[in-house]
Amino acid sequence: MKYRKMKYINNIILVCFSLFSISVMAQTDDERNTDKNFDRFWYKRAAQQYESAVKKGDTSKETLQRLGDAYYFNSDMESAAKWYGELFSKYENELEPIYAFRYIQSLEGTGDYHLAKGLMKIYSEKLNDSTFNVDQLKNNDKLIDALRNTQPQFYITPLSINTPVSDFGAIRYGNHVVFASARDSSVFTSRKYHWNEQPFLNLFIADTTSNGGDLKNVHSFSKSINSKYHEASVAFTKGFDTIYFTRNNYTNSKLKRDAQGANNLKIYRAVLRNNNWKDITELPFSSDEYSVGHPSLSPDGKKLYFTSDMPGTIGESDIYVVDILSEGNFSEPRNLGENINTSGREMFPFITDKKLYFASEGHLGYGGLDVFEATVTEEGFSKPKNLGLPLNSQLDDFAYMVDENTQRGYVSSNRPGGVGDDDIYSFQRSDEKCMQTIEGTVVNSDTKYPEPNVTVKLYDGEKVLDSTLTSNVGEYRFDMPVNCGHTYNVIAAKESFDTAEKSVETLLEPNFVNEVPLEINHKLIVREGDDLKIKIGLIYFDFDKWNITPRAIESLDTIVNVMKEYPGMVIKIESHTDSRGNDAYNMQLSDKRAKSTRDYILSRGIEPERIESAIGYGESRLLNECANNVPCTKAQHDVNRRSEFIIVKMK
């Protein structure tokens, strides 16, 4: 069925869209098989049955898919990640992109961003021809790290009225707040929604406390609006005399279904007369064949934003808008387009005169649904921006509403540490500061290989702001965010290396990631022509000898230390003499010195395969004109008396 993809997040949380296509039929003995429970969206029961099937040996693609989905649709991300992992280990090349997306979302929901980023890299290469377009299937290695380091702007507090069941979607109603809850209202409480075995949702009203940070005195909102099925997600006109709300397709005590037998959601409108809500009517763009919900009114009352999976939807659910015309009529719905909507789910719009706020799983986030904001512009809306931690979390965060003047409001979440499945949190947003991050890679200037264990410091003038070490692949990142429009210095240092320094001037773009690459020069590793060498002074041997002297040990230990610093380094040893003495004798002496040099290095724990060769060349490779019978000074002859350690390979 089409609407199975409308996942009912976190037990009952996103009622208005995640409970699209609900089934409310009673379960009979003949229907107690696993697939039927899954098709009815009774995911808790289905998950147990699929796990039992797996234990009995059924590891088919379809069983593992549905087992992962059953947990995913109820926001048990740990179990979902486990079974999607099994699915990918067996059937990776046979799966649709939606399963890579769900697996990544599940991993992020458990905090495993490392593996999630790995999958992003894999699927960013595989999905060039796919129409499934979400940020989580792009190579966002740097962006997701930058997102996790975004400067916090919110102080959030859970409300005391939260219950062990689902509470969400707080909207201001004068000095009160209206919200949805599955709490016991003493009406229809024997009826349970088998998706998560909780009572159906109704609307409740509560008073705000004096400081506005909590709610109290909760009671049922309206007997005329609350039914025995789901009601949630409301919007009020400025005078609070008209309400728009979401309900199952339930009118005149009749529950209607589409051609596949699914019950969809509709937006209804009612007007307040004599303190009672009257004239409950569905909006004309609602349908028996698809769902609409999550209404939000523009401040001037001229536009109604909502969520739908109607024909023409880009993803699993999109945000639409209609114009409110005279005499209660409406324009045709308009999709907000690909700037806002993705191949995933966008829902819970909240519109102000400045911003559009909405929940999305398709834009890059921390896992599950995150809250985004898009600034109102003459052309429409700016690129959506993730509102960051702690407003958003690894799980689902949604139903954001705010007073733009005070920057106080409410958000709903199923994050760990709450009372129930979904809880309502109040928040205070602080002034936004333009902050950025600095990161980069340090490489060896001669080898061009990444240099590990380099100390990299961030300076503001003479003051050290942060310090870190490069990873085993030469990468570094400062934890401390930096200000926009400011100049900083980055300095890299390591023993046996010259320091490297770069200046960076940050732009005026919030959350921008400044890439600052550095090259650091090893004092002992140099390039001479086409060769890379470990450069040390003379190796001292006694006259006419090749045994290693104490003075030679000092120099050779330097070679050993460099090779231990670079465990992938392979060298070859060449020993040379000057032209004084017999040619054949010089060749023999230099070869013995090369091999005794090799033997000493091996005795210090260097593996034999890391020395490719040790050869003496006598006076056959002079560096100057001081050949036989050419008069030269001692200093000129000494230039040719040398041992060379040429780097053959560096991993």
Side-chain angles (χ1 to χ4, degrees), residues 90-131:
K90 292 179 178 292
Y91 305 105
E92 179 180 354
N93 295 326
E94 303 175 30
L95 299 174
E96 295 295 319
I98 185 66
Y99 280 97
F101 172 67
R102 290 176 184 169
Y103 190 21
I104 289 170
Q105 289 281 77
S106 301
L107 291 168
E108 290 178 338
T110 63
D112 192 348
Y113 291 100
H114 181 75
L115 183 53
K117 288 193 295 184
L119 283 172
M120 288 178 188
K121 288 185 177 181
I122 292 171
Y123 279 89
S124 67
E125 299 171 358
K126 289 185 176 182
L127 296 177
N128 291 334
D129 299 326
S130 173
T131 58

mmCIF file of all heavy atoms in Angstrom, residues 90-131:
data_model
loop_
_atom_site.group_PDB
_atom_site.id
_atom_site.type_symbol
_atom_site.label_atom_id
_atom_site.label_comp_id
_atom_site.label_asym_id
_atom_site.label_seq_id
_atom_site.Cartn_x
_atom_site.Cartn_y
_atom_site.Cartn_z
ATOM 1 N N LYS A 90 23.340 -9.235 3.609
ATOM 2 C CA LYS A 90 22.933 -10.328 2.726
ATOM 3 C C LYS A 90 22.482 -9.854 1.344
ATOM 4 O O LYS A 90 22.694 -10.535 0.342
ATOM 5 C CB LYS A 90 21.787 -11.122 3.370
ATOM 6 C CG LYS A 90 22.185 -11.898 4.617
ATOM 7 C CD LYS A 90 20.988 -12.639 5.191
ATOM 8 C CE LYS A 90 21.364 -13.459 6.412
ATOM 9 N NZ LYS A 90 22.240 -14.603 6.071
ATOM 10 N N TYR A 91 21.859 -8.672 1.305
ATOM 11 C CA TYR A 91 21.172 -8.295 0.058
ATOM 12 C C TYR A 91 21.502 -6.867 -0.398
ATOM 13 O O TYR A 91 20.693 -6.235 -1.072
ATOM 14 C CB TYR A 91 19.655 -8.421 0.249
ATOM 15 C CG TYR A 91 19.195 -9.775 0.722
ATOM 16 C CD1 TYR A 91 18.795 -9.967 2.055
ATOM 17 C CD2 TYR A 91 19.162 -10.858 -0.143
ATOM 18 C CE1 TYR A 91 18.372 -11.211 2.495
ATOM 19 C CE2 TYR A 91 18.745 -12.115 0.292
ATOM 20 C CZ TYR A 91 18.348 -12.280 1.619
ATOM 21 O OH TYR A 91 17.933 -13.505 2.047
ATOM 22 N N GLU A 92 22.674 -6.356 -0.069
ATOM 23 C CA GLU A 92 22.972 -4.938 -0.320
ATOM 24 C C GLU A 92 22.726 -4.526 -1.766
ATOM 25 O O GLU A 92 22.152 -3.474 -2.037
ATOM 26 C CB GLU A 92 24.427 -4.631 0.051
ATOM 27 C CG GLU A 92 24.814 -3.191 -0.215
ATOM 28 C CD GLU A 92 26.257 -2.887 0.162
ATOM 29 O OE1 GLU A 92 26.915 -3.766 0.739
ATOM 30 O OE2 GLU A 92 26.715 -1.774 -0.132
ATOM 31 N N ASN A 93 23.130 -5.349 -2.718
ATOM 32 C CA ASN A 93 23.034 -4.974 -4.129
ATOM 33 C C ASN A 93 21.632 -5.147 -4.702
ATOM 34 O O ASN A 93 21.402 -4.816 -5.868
ATOM 35 C CB ASN A 93 24.036 -5.785 -4.954
ATOM 36 C CG ASN A 93 25.467 -5.469 -4.586
ATOM 37 O OD1 ASN A 93 25.791 -4.329 -4.241
ATOM 38 N ND2 ASN A 93 26.336 -6.464 -4.621
ATOM 39 N N GLU A 94 20.688 -5.643 -3.900
ATOM 40 C CA GLU A 94 19.328 -5.866 -4.383
ATOM 41 C C GLU A 94 18.330 -4.873 -3.802
ATOM 42 O O GLU A 94 17.147 -4.930 -4.119
ATOM 43 C CB GLU A 94 18.872 -7.288 -4.018
ATOM 44 C CG GLU A 94 19.771 -8.396 -4.536
ATOM 45 C CD GLU A 94 19.331 -9.765 -4.029
ATOM 46 O OE1 GLU A 94 18.118 -9.948 -3.799
ATOM 47 O OE2 GLU A 94 20.194 -10.642 -3.854
ATOM 48 N N LEU A 95 18.799 -3.933 -2.969
ATOM 49 C CA LEU A 95 17.876 -3.103 -2.200
ATOM 50 C C LEU A 95 17.596 -1.768 -2.875
ATOM 51 O O LEU A 95 18.458 -1.203 -3.551
ATOM 52 C CB LEU A 95 18.446 -2.865 -0.796
ATOM 53 C CG LEU A 95 18.665 -4.127 0.043
ATOM 54 C CD1 LEU A 95 19.367 -3.775 1.342
ATOM 55 C CD2 LEU A 95 17.336 -4.824 0.334
ATOM 56 N N GLU A 96 16.392 -1.267 -2.649
ATOM 57 C CA GLU A 96 16.011 0.050 -3.127
ATOM 58 C C GLU A 96 16.689 1.130 -2.271
ATOM 59 O O GLU A 96 17.043 0.894 -1.107
ATOM 60 C CB GLU A 96 14.486 0.210 -3.045
ATOM 61 C CG GLU A 96 13.714 -0.719 -3.960
ATOM 62 C CD GLU A 96 13.981 -0.440 -5.426
ATOM 63 O OE1 GLU A 96 14.049 0.754 -5.788
ATOM 64 O OE2 GLU A 96 14.161 -1.404 -6.188
ATOM 65 N N PRO A 97 16.865 2.351 -2.813
ATOM 66 C CA PRO A 97 17.509 3.432 -2.052
ATOM 67 C C PRO A 97 16.836 3.736 -0.723
ATOM 68 O O PRO A 97 17.504 4.156 0.221
ATOM 69 C CB PRO A 97 17.412 4.630 -3.002
ATOM 70 C CG PRO A 97 17.319 4.035 -4.359
ATOM 71 C CD PRO A 97 16.570 2.743 -4.205
ATOM 72 N N ILE A 98 15.528 3.518 -0.634
ATOM 73 C CA ILE A 98 14.813 3.817 0.610
ATOM 74 C C ILE A 98 15.393 3.044 1.781
ATOM 75 O O ILE A 98 15.412 3.525 2.921
ATOM 76 C CB ILE A 98 13.301 3.509 0.454
ATOM 77 C CG1 ILE A 98 12.526 3.931 1.696
ATOM 78 C CG2 ILE A 98 13.058 2.055 0.139
ATOM 79 C CD1 ILE A 98 12.489 5.406 1.951
ATOM 80 N N TYR A 99 15.938 1.837 1.519
ATOM 81 C CA TYR A 99 16.480 1.052 2.628
ATOM 82 C C TYR A 99 17.849 1.556 3.062
ATOM 83 O O TYR A 99 18.195 1.475 4.246
ATOM 84 C CB TYR A 99 16.497 -0.444 2.279
ATOM 85 C CG TYR A 99 15.117 -1.026 2.475
ATOM 86 C CD1 TYR A 99 14.252 -1.175 1.401
ATOM 87 C CD2 TYR A 99 14.660 -1.336 3.744
ATOM 88 C CE1 TYR A 99 12.966 -1.647 1.587
ATOM 89 C CE2 TYR A 99 13.378 -1.800 3.947
ATOM 90 C CZ TYR A 99 12.531 -1.961 2.868
ATOM 91 O OH TYR A 99 11.260 -2.406 3.071
ATOM 92 N N ALA A 100 18.644 2.101 2.143
ATOM 93 C CA ALA A 100 19.880 2.765 2.555
ATOM 94 C C ALA A 100 19.547 3.974 3.418
ATOM 95 O O ALA A 100 20.189 4.228 4.443
ATOM 96 C CB ALA A 100 20.679 3.194 1.322
ATOM 97 N N PHE A 101 18.532 4.713 3.001
ATOM 98 C CA PHE A 101 18.095 5.892 3.758
ATOM 99 C C PHE A 101 17.634 5.506 5.162
ATOM 100 O O PHE A 101 18.034 6.118 6.154
ATOM 101 C CB PHE A 101 16.960 6.575 2.987
ATOM 102 C CG PHE A 101 16.284 7.693 3.728
ATOM 103 C CD1 PHE A 101 16.971 8.867 4.012
ATOM 104 C CD2 PHE A 101 14.975 7.579 4.149
ATOM 105 C CE1 PHE A 101 16.358 9.898 4.688
ATOM 106 C CE2 PHE A 101 14.355 8.606 4.826
ATOM 107 C CZ PHE A 101 15.044 9.765 5.093
ATOM 108 N N ARG A 102 16.793 4.477 5.261
ATOM 109 C CA ARG A 102 16.292 4.059 6.582
ATOM 110 C C ARG A 102 17.426 3.526 7.462
ATOM 111 O O ARG A 102 17.426 3.747 8.680
ATOM 112 C CB ARG A 102 15.197 3.005 6.422
ATOM 113 C CG ARG A 102 13.908 3.561 5.843
ATOM 114 C CD ARG A 102 12.885 2.472 5.613
ATOM 115 N NE ARG A 102 11.688 3.011 4.971
ATOM 116 C CZ ARG A 102 10.713 2.274 4.462
ATOM 117 N NH1 ARG A 102 10.789 0.957 4.514
ATOM 118 N NH2 ARG A 102 9.662 2.847 3.899
ATOM 119 N N TYR A 103 18.363 2.804 6.859
ATOM 120 C CA TYR A 103 19.493 2.282 7.626
ATOM 121 C C TYR A 103 20.329 3.437 8.179
ATOM 122 O O TYR A 103 20.715 3.439 9.363
ATOM 123 C CB TYR A 103 20.327 1.370 6.738
ATOM 124 C CG TYR A 103 21.403 0.574 7.454
ATOM 125 C CD1 TYR A 103 21.351 0.337 8.837
ATOM 126 C CD2 TYR A 103 22.469 0.037 6.748
ATOM 127 C CE1 TYR A 103 22.325 -0.402 9.475
ATOM 128 C CE2 TYR A 103 23.459 -0.700 7.379
ATOM 129 C CZ TYR A 103 23.389 -0.912 8.740
ATOM 130 O OH TYR A 103 24.366 -1.638 9.382
ATOM 131 N N ILE A 104 20.609 4.438 7.341
ATOM 132 C CA ILE A 104 21.367 5.605 7.797
ATOM 133 C C ILE A 104 20.618 6.330 8.911
ATOM 134 O O ILE A 104 21.206 6.716 9.935
ATOM 135 C CB ILE A 104 21.644 6.553 6.620
ATOM 136 C CG1 ILE A 104 22.685 5.930 5.677
ATOM 137 C CG2 ILE A 104 22.149 7.916 7.103
ATOM 138 C CD1 ILE A 104 22.849 6.656 4.368
ATOM 139 N N GLN A 105 19.308 6.520 8.743
ATOM 140 C CA GLN A 105 18.505 7.181 9.769
ATOM 141 C C GLN A 105 18.552 6.406 11.090
ATOM 142 O O GLN A 105 18.657 6.993 12.172
ATOM 143 C CB GLN A 105 17.056 7.298 9.306
ATOM 144 C CG GLN A 105 16.834 8.302 8.201
ATOM 145 C CD GLN A 105 16.801 9.721 8.733
ATOM 146 O OE1 GLN A 105 17.827 10.305 9.039
ATOM 147 N NE2 GLN A 105 15.627 10.276 8.830
ATOM 148 N N SER A 106 18.495 5.077 10.991
ATOM 149 C CA SER A 106 18.546 4.249 12.205
ATOM 150 C C SER A 106 19.903 4.364 12.888
ATOM 151 O O SER A 106 19.978 4.459 14.123
ATOM 152 C CB SER A 106 18.262 2.781 11.854
ATOM 153 O OG SER A 106 16.997 2.633 11.250
ATOM 154 N N LEU A 107 20.972 4.348 12.099
ATOM 155 C CA LEU A 107 22.315 4.482 12.673
ATOM 156 C C LEU A 107 22.485 5.830 13.359
ATOM 157 O O LEU A 107 23.036 5.921 14.460
ATOM 158 C CB LEU A 107 23.369 4.304 11.583
ATOM 159 C CG LEU A 107 23.497 2.887 11.009
ATOM 160 C CD1 LEU A 107 24.358 2.901 9.755
ATOM 161 C CD2 LEU A 107 24.080 1.937 12.045
ATOM 162 N N GLU A 108 22.013 6.900 12.709
ATOM 163 C CA GLU A 108 22.091 8.224 13.331
ATOM 164 C C GLU A 108 21.261 8.256 14.611
ATOM 165 O O GLU A 108 21.641 8.903 15.598
ATOM 166 C CB GLU A 108 21.607 9.284 12.353
ATOM 167 C CG GLU A 108 22.555 9.516 11.190
ATOM 168 C CD GLU A 108 22.047 10.543 10.200
ATOM 169 O OE1 GLU A 108 20.822 10.779 10.160
ATOM 170 O OE2 GLU A 108 22.862 11.111 9.466
ATOM 171 N N GLY A 109 20.129 7.541 14.595
ATOM 172 C CA GLY A 109 19.280 7.500 15.784
ATOM 173 C C GLY A 109 19.926 6.803 16.964
ATOM 174 O O GLY A 109 19.537 7.026 18.113
ATOM 175 N N THR A 110 20.927 5.955 16.694
ATOM 176 C CA THR A 110 21.671 5.309 17.778
ATOM 177 C C THR A 110 22.977 6.031 18.075
ATOM 178 O O THR A 110 23.728 5.614 18.950
ATOM 179 C CB THR A 110 21.978 3.837 17.426
ATOM 180 O OG1 THR A 110 22.834 3.800 16.273
ATOM 181 C CG2 THR A 110 20.704 3.071 17.127
ATOM 182 N N GLY A 111 23.269 7.096 17.321
ATOM 183 C CA GLY A 111 24.495 7.854 17.541
ATOM 184 C C GLY A 111 25.697 7.323 16.789
ATOM 185 O O GLY A 111 26.821 7.810 16.979
ATOM 186 N N ASP A 112 25.482 6.332 15.891
ATOM 187 C CA ASP A 112 26.610 5.764 15.149
ATOM 188 C C ASP A 112 26.824 6.575 13.873
ATOM 189 O O ASP A 112 26.548 6.119 12.753
ATOM 190 C CB ASP A 112 26.333 4.294 14.813
ATOM 191 C CG ASP A 112 27.580 3.574 14.301
ATOM 192 O OD1 ASP A 112 28.576 4.258 13.988
ATOM 193 O OD2 ASP A 112 27.561 2.332 14.219
ATOM 194 N N TYR A 113 27.339 7.795 14.020
ATOM 195 C CA TYR A 113 27.542 8.668 12.872
ATOM 196 C C TYR A 113 28.701 8.191 11.999
ATOM 197 O O TYR A 113 28.729 8.474 10.802
ATOM 198 C CB TYR A 113 27.803 10.102 13.340
ATOM 199 C CG TYR A 113 26.581 10.752 13.944
ATOM 200 C CD1 TYR A 113 26.415 10.839 15.322
ATOM 201 C CD2 TYR A 113 25.579 11.267 13.131
ATOM 202 C CE1 TYR A 113 25.283 11.427 15.867
ATOM 203 C CE2 TYR A 113 24.450 11.862 13.663
ATOM 204 C CZ TYR A 113 24.308 11.937 15.038
ATOM 205 O OH TYR A 113 23.183 12.516 15.569
ATOM 206 N N HIS A 114 29.644 7.476 12.577
ATOM 207 C CA HIS A 114 30.792 6.999 11.798
ATOM 208 C C HIS A 114 30.331 6.057 10.696
ATOM 209 O O HIS A 114 30.687 6.233 9.513
ATOM 210 C CB HIS A 114 31.795 6.301 12.717
ATOM 211 C CG HIS A 114 33.019 5.798 12.008
ATOM 212 N ND1 HIS A 114 34.024 6.636 11.588
ATOM 213 C CD2 HIS A 114 33.382 4.542 11.629
ATOM 214 C CE1 HIS A 114 34.975 5.922 10.992
ATOM 215 N NE2 HIS A 114 34.594 4.656 11.000
ATOM 216 N N LEU A 115 29.530 5.053 11.046
ATOM 217 C CA LEU A 115 29.030 4.112 10.047
ATOM 218 C C LEU A 115 28.037 4.795 9.116
ATOM 219 O O LEU A 115 28.001 4.514 7.913
ATOM 220 C CB LEU A 115 28.382 2.905 10.730
ATOM 221 C CG LEU A 115 27.865 1.794 9.807
ATOM 222 C CD1 LEU A 115 28.954 1.331 8.849
ATOM 223 C CD2 LEU A 115 27.360 0.610 10.648
ATOM 224 N N ALA A 116 27.229 5.699 9.658
ATOM 225 C CA ALA A 116 26.266 6.428 8.825
ATOM 226 C C ALA A 116 26.992 7.216 7.739
ATOM 227 O O ALA A 116 26.579 7.227 6.574
ATOM 228 C CB ALA A 116 25.410 7.351 9.688
ATOM 229 N N LYS A 117 28.104 7.879 8.109
ATOM 230 C CA LYS A 117 28.864 8.644 7.120
ATOM 231 C C LYS A 117 29.469 7.723 6.066
ATOM 232 O O LYS A 117 29.560 8.085 4.888
ATOM 233 C CB LYS A 117 29.955 9.464 7.810
ATOM 234 C CG LYS A 117 29.429 10.647 8.603
ATOM 235 C CD LYS A 117 30.537 11.603 8.991
ATOM 236 C CE LYS A 117 31.516 10.984 9.946
ATOM 237 N NZ LYS A 117 32.540 11.961 10.387
ATOM 238 N N GLY A 118 29.882 6.535 6.481
ATOM 239 C CA GLY A 118 30.417 5.575 5.522
ATOM 240 C C GLY A 118 29.379 5.174 4.485
ATOM 241 O O GLY A 118 29.666 5.105 3.289
ATOM 242 N N LEU A 119 28.149 4.930 4.933
ATOM 243 C CA LEU A 119 27.078 4.592 3.999
ATOM 244 C C LEU A 119 26.746 5.762 3.088
ATOM 245 O O LEU A 119 26.415 5.587 1.918
ATOM 246 C CB LEU A 119 25.827 4.162 4.774
ATOM 247 C CG LEU A 119 25.863 2.749 5.358
ATOM 248 C CD1 LEU A 119 24.666 2.518 6.258
ATOM 249 C CD2 LEU A 119 25.893 1.714 4.251
ATOM 250 N N MET A 120 26.805 6.989 3.639
ATOM 251 C CA MET A 120 26.567 8.167 2.803
ATOM 252 C C MET A 120 27.550 8.194 1.637
ATOM 253 O O MET A 120 27.169 8.482 0.492
ATOM 254 C CB MET A 120 26.722 9.446 3.631
ATOM 255 C CG MET A 120 25.612 9.704 4.626
ATOM 256 S SD MET A 120 25.985 11.206 5.561
ATOM 257 C CE MET A 120 24.689 11.153 6.811
ATOM 258 N N LYS A 121 28.818 7.903 1.918
ATOM 259 C CA LYS A 121 29.828 7.918 0.859
ATOM 260 C C LYS A 121 29.534 6.856 -0.187
ATOM 261 O O LYS A 121 29.621 7.094 -1.397
ATOM 262 C CB LYS A 121 31.219 7.685 1.463
ATOM 263 C CG LYS A 121 31.766 8.854 2.249
ATOM 264 C CD LYS A 121 33.183 8.566 2.696
ATOM 265 C CE LYS A 121 33.780 9.759 3.427
ATOM 266 N NZ LYS A 121 35.171 9.507 3.863
ATOM 267 N N ILE A 122 29.167 5.668 0.270
ATOM 268 C CA ILE A 122 28.901 4.569 -0.656
ATOM 269 C C ILE A 122 27.730 4.907 -1.568
ATOM 270 O O ILE A 122 27.796 4.760 -2.791
ATOM 271 C CB ILE A 122 28.618 3.265 0.118
ATOM 272 C CG1 ILE A 122 29.889 2.792 0.834
ATOM 273 C CG2 ILE A 122 28.096 2.186 -0.825
ATOM 274 C CD1 ILE A 122 29.649 1.646 1.791
ATOM 275 N N TYR A 123 26.642 5.391 -0.973
ATOM 276 C CA TYR A 123 25.429 5.584 -1.754
ATOM 277 C C TYR A 123 25.417 6.893 -2.523
ATOM 278 O O TYR A 123 24.653 7.046 -3.469
ATOM 279 C CB TYR A 123 24.201 5.427 -0.858
ATOM 280 C CG TYR A 123 23.893 3.966 -0.679
ATOM 281 C CD1 TYR A 123 24.474 3.250 0.352
ATOM 282 C CD2 TYR A 123 23.107 3.296 -1.593
ATOM 283 C CE1 TYR A 123 24.252 1.891 0.494
ATOM 284 C CE2 TYR A 123 22.880 1.943 -1.467
ATOM 285 C CZ TYR A 123 23.449 1.243 -0.424
ATOM 286 O OH TYR A 123 23.239 -0.100 -0.314
ATOM 287 N N SER A 124 26.278 7.816 -2.171
ATOM 288 C CA SER A 124 26.386 9.022 -2.993
ATOM 289 C C SER A 124 26.948 8.671 -4.363
ATOM 290 O O SER A 124 26.667 9.347 -5.353
ATOM 291 C CB SER A 124 27.283 10.058 -2.304
ATOM 292 O OG SER A 124 28.631 9.599 -2.250
ATOM 293 N N GLU A 125 27.734 7.611 -4.452
ATOM 294 C CA GLU A 125 28.292 7.174 -5.722
ATOM 295 C C GLU A 125 27.325 6.284 -6.490
ATOM 296 O O GLU A 125 27.295 6.284 -7.714
ATOM 297 C CB GLU A 125 29.605 6.421 -5.484
ATOM 298 C CG GLU A 125 30.678 7.269 -4.801
ATOM 299 C CD GLU A 125 31.882 6.452 -4.386
ATOM 300 O OE1 GLU A 125 31.864 5.225 -4.598
ATOM 301 O OE2 GLU A 125 32.838 7.030 -3.846
ATOM 302 N N LYS A 126 26.479 5.553 -5.776
ATOM 303 C CA LYS A 126 25.581 4.593 -6.416
ATOM 304 C C LYS A 126 24.295 5.211 -6.939
ATOM 305 O O LYS A 126 23.633 4.643 -7.794
ATOM 306 C CB LYS A 126 25.213 3.480 -5.432
ATOM 307 C CG LYS A 126 26.346 2.529 -5.107
ATOM 308 C CD LYS A 126 25.848 1.394 -4.237
ATOM 309 C CE LYS A 126 26.940 0.372 -3.976
ATOM 310 N NZ LYS A 126 26.452 -0.767 -3.166
ATOM 311 N N LEU A 127 23.916 6.367 -6.416
ATOM 312 C CA LEU A 127 22.574 6.883 -6.667
ATOM 313 C C LEU A 127 22.538 8.046 -7.648
ATOM 314 O O LEU A 127 21.614 8.845 -7.614
ATOM 315 C CB LEU A 127 21.933 7.309 -5.339
ATOM 316 C CG LEU A 127 21.707 6.173 -4.350
ATOM 317 C CD1 LEU A 127 21.143 6.702 -3.067
ATOM 318 C CD2 LEU A 127 20.779 5.130 -4.932
ATOM 319 N N ASN A 128 23.515 8.139 -8.536
ATOM 320 C CA ASN A 128 23.527 9.252 -9.484
ATOM 321 C C ASN A 128 22.283 9.274 -10.361
ATOM 322 O O ASN A 128 21.795 10.331 -10.755
ATOM 323 C CB ASN A 128 24.775 9.176 -10.371
ATOM 324 C CG ASN A 128 26.042 9.452 -9.579
ATOM 325 O OD1 ASN A 128 25.996 10.129 -8.564
ATOM 326 N ND2 ASN A 128 27.158 8.913 -10.032
ATOM 327 N N ASP A 129 21.747 8.107 -10.693
ATOM 328 C CA ASP A 129 20.592 8.023 -11.578
ATOM 329 C C ASP A 129 19.295 7.833 -10.817
ATOM 330 O O ASP A 129 18.242 7.626 -11.413
ATOM 331 C CB ASP A 129 20.777 6.860 -12.566
ATOM 332 C CG ASP A 129 22.006 7.055 -13.447
ATOM 333 O OD1 ASP A 129 22.304 8.216 -13.763
ATOM 334 O OD2 ASP A 129 22.640 6.053 -13.795
ATOM 335 N N SER A 130 19.352 7.890 -9.511
ATOM 336 C CA SER A 130 18.150 7.649 -8.711
ATOM 337 C C SER A 130 17.334 8.927 -8.568
ATOM 338 O O SER A 130 17.868 10.021 -8.495
ATOM 339 C CB SER A 130 18.540 7.130 -7.323
ATOM 340 O OG SER A 130 17.401 7.043 -6.488
ATOM 341 N N THR A 131 16.021 8.763 -8.520
ATOM 342 C CA THR A 131 15.133 9.903 -8.270
ATOM 343 C C THR A 131 14.898 10.101 -6.783
ATOM 344 O O THR A 131 14.189 11.015 -6.390
ATOM 345 C CB THR A 131 13.775 9.683 -8.971
ATOM 346 O OG1 THR A 131 13.184 8.463 -8.501
ATOM 347 C CG2 THR A 131 13.960 9.612 -10.482
#
